[in-house]
Amino acid sequence: PVAAPADMSAQITTATKVYVNLSIPEIAKKVADETHADGVGLLRAEHLMLSIGKHPRQLLEEGGDRVMIDTFSQGLGQVADAFFPGPVVYRCLDFKPDEFLELPGGEKYERGHVGPNPMIGYRGQYRYMKEDDIFRLELRAIKRAREDMGYKNICVMIPFVRTRRVFRETVRIMAEEGLDHRRDPDFKLWIMVEVPSACFMIEEFCREGIDGVSFGTNDLTMLVLGVDRNDTSVQELYDERNLGVLRAIAYTMQVCRKYGVTTSICGQAPSVYPDYLEFMIRCGCTSISVNP
């Protein structure tokens, strides 16, 4: 019998960093040991909120600030420890209103935010500006994990960035909480590129001093093509390989290269289509982040 080919992935060094997407801190050590990934390109915050099991607004009303800070900093620390010194890119909470609705307290605090299409509604960084008290708890957890626990490999990624005004307001709040990417060379701030405005204004965002971008191809495809990715009646139109989507990505990467801003992708496309991966690398992306 022919011997199975040995897995050489641990020995191969690639010019493009290979990161993993993670949601559950408890499996971080196992994933790190098994994949030998260069780091975490997307650490989703939503699971941490679900593990607390309450709508954050209800948690605050009940005086549970400490619970949120403890839970989030421990989860962050667990992942940062498993992949140390590799980077762990933590994406701040991006619950869509219909998802928040499911949590205890959601009916009371979220019902008014559920619009006709929650995917393009009250979500992402716009919420941080409107409800900065919740955002500040997240930031305090990050600061604790970075400073008190010593995990300087934690970076922060802001989701669903639409406008520069809201981005600046978000950065102002972060700086007030002691996380200032302009003053602290150790602290890296990334943005998610999921909204076409972020592609077209990437030059402006680069000038704001961001350190990296990561493409969320699922939402970007939806918004470039005007196709609700959850609507089965238009599903055949939804294609991440559409020329319009590829041009938006290629242009964004070209500008980022000029400013020395790193580019990554954490959407599903490179996990599904090998040619997508090749396209990203030819455009000069510095890392990809895939499911373990």
Side-chain angles (χ1 to χ4, degrees):
V2 181
D7 177 11
M8 300 297 288
S9 57
Q11 281 83 51
I12 296 171
T13 304
T14 53
T16 309
K17 300 267 188 245
V18 183
Y19 297 148
V20 288
N21 299 332
L22 262 188
S23 301
I24 303 167
E26 289 73 30
I27 64 167
K29 182 86 178 81
K30 183 172 183 284
V31 170
D33 291 345
E34 284 176 7
T35 63
H36 302 283
D38 296 314
V40 178
L42 170 68
L43 174 58
R44 299 181 188 89
E46 291 71 35
H47 177 82
L48 291 165
M49 199 70 237
L50 291 172
S51 71
I52 295 173
K54 278 179 187 161
H55 189 285
R57 179 71 41 225
Q58 177 165 325
L59 191 68
L60 260 73
E61 296 285 326
E62 293 171 358
D65 306 29
R66 186 60 43 212
V67 175
M68 187 164 163
I69 295 171
D70 289 349
T71 306
F72 276 63
S73 59
Q74 280 159 17
L76 258 167
Q78 203 168 357
V79 179
D81 188 69
F83 287 89
F84 196 85
V88 168
V89 182
Y90 168 82
R91 183 185 70 188
C92 295
L93 274 173
D94 187 18
F95 265 123
K96 291 140 203 114
D98 55 330
E99 294 167 349
F100 257 148
L101 205 57
E102 307 295 311
L103 290 170
E107 198 53 55
K108 177 180 176 186
Y109 297 108
E110 211 60 38
R111 178 54 69 194
H113 299 315
V114 182
N117 183 348
M119 300 194 83
I120 53 172
Y122 187 58
R123 63 173 285 200
Q125 73 167 154
Y126 183 63
R127 285 189 84 125
Y128 310 156
M129 190 177 95
K130 294 290 179 188
E131 301 182 69
D132 69 309
D133 50 352
I134 295 172
F135 184 46
R136 285 175 193 274
L137 294 184
E138 247 187 305
L139 297 175
R140 283 166 202 169
I142 295 161
K143 191 161 185 250
R144 181 194 285 182
R146 277 180 54 84
E147 294 186 6
D148 302 349
M149 296 158 80
Y151 295 115
K152 296 285 191 186
N153 56 328
I154 296 169
C155 318
V156 170
M157 182 153 69
I158 303 295
F160 221 69
V161 171
R162 291 163 161 140
T163 72
R164 190 165 54 169
R165 176 181 71 89
V166 178
F167 176 76
R168 283 179 169 168
E169 184 61 19
T170 304
V171 165
R172 185 190 65 74
I173 296 166
M174 291 178 77
E176 279 181 8
E177 294 296 335
L179 294 166
D180 191 338
H181 71 290
R182 285 184 175 277
R183 295 203 168 158
D184 179 0
D186 265 351
F187 177 58
K188 305 285 183 231
L189 181 65
W190 290 28
I191 62 168
M192 287 285 291
V193 172
E194 306 155 279
V195 183
S197 60
C199 296
F200 296 131
M201 299 195 303
I202 191 60
E203 186 120 24
E204 282 73 15
F205 285 116
C206 286
R207 286 191 194 134
E208 297 290 321
I210 59 169
D211 299 288
V213 308
S214 188
F215 295 97
T217 45
N218 306 14
D219 279 351
L220 185 60
T221 303
M222 171 176 78
L223 294 166
V224 168
L225 293 177
V227 172
D228 181 344
R229 61 188 175 98
N230 285 346
D231 185 344
T232 50
S233 61
V234 285
Q235 210 50 55
E236 65 169 304
L237 289 170
Y238 178 88
D239 183 8
E240 296 109 312
R241 295 167 295 178
N242 175 274
L243 182 59
V245 179
L246 297 180
R247 275 192 182 151
I249 291 173
Y251 168 73
T252 305
M253 287 211 260
Q254 184 187 337
V255 175
C256 285
R257 268 214 311 279
K258 186 171 95 179
Y259 283 90
V261 169
T262 62
T263 50
S264 188
I265 181 166
C266 58
Q268 307 275 235
S271 305
V272 184
Y273 311 113
D275 54 338
Y276 218 92
L277 184 53
E278 192 168 333
F279 157 73
M280 295 295 296
I281 292 168
R282 284 187 191 283
C283 286
C285 82
T286 46
S287 68
I288 57 149
S289 194
V290 293
N291 298 333

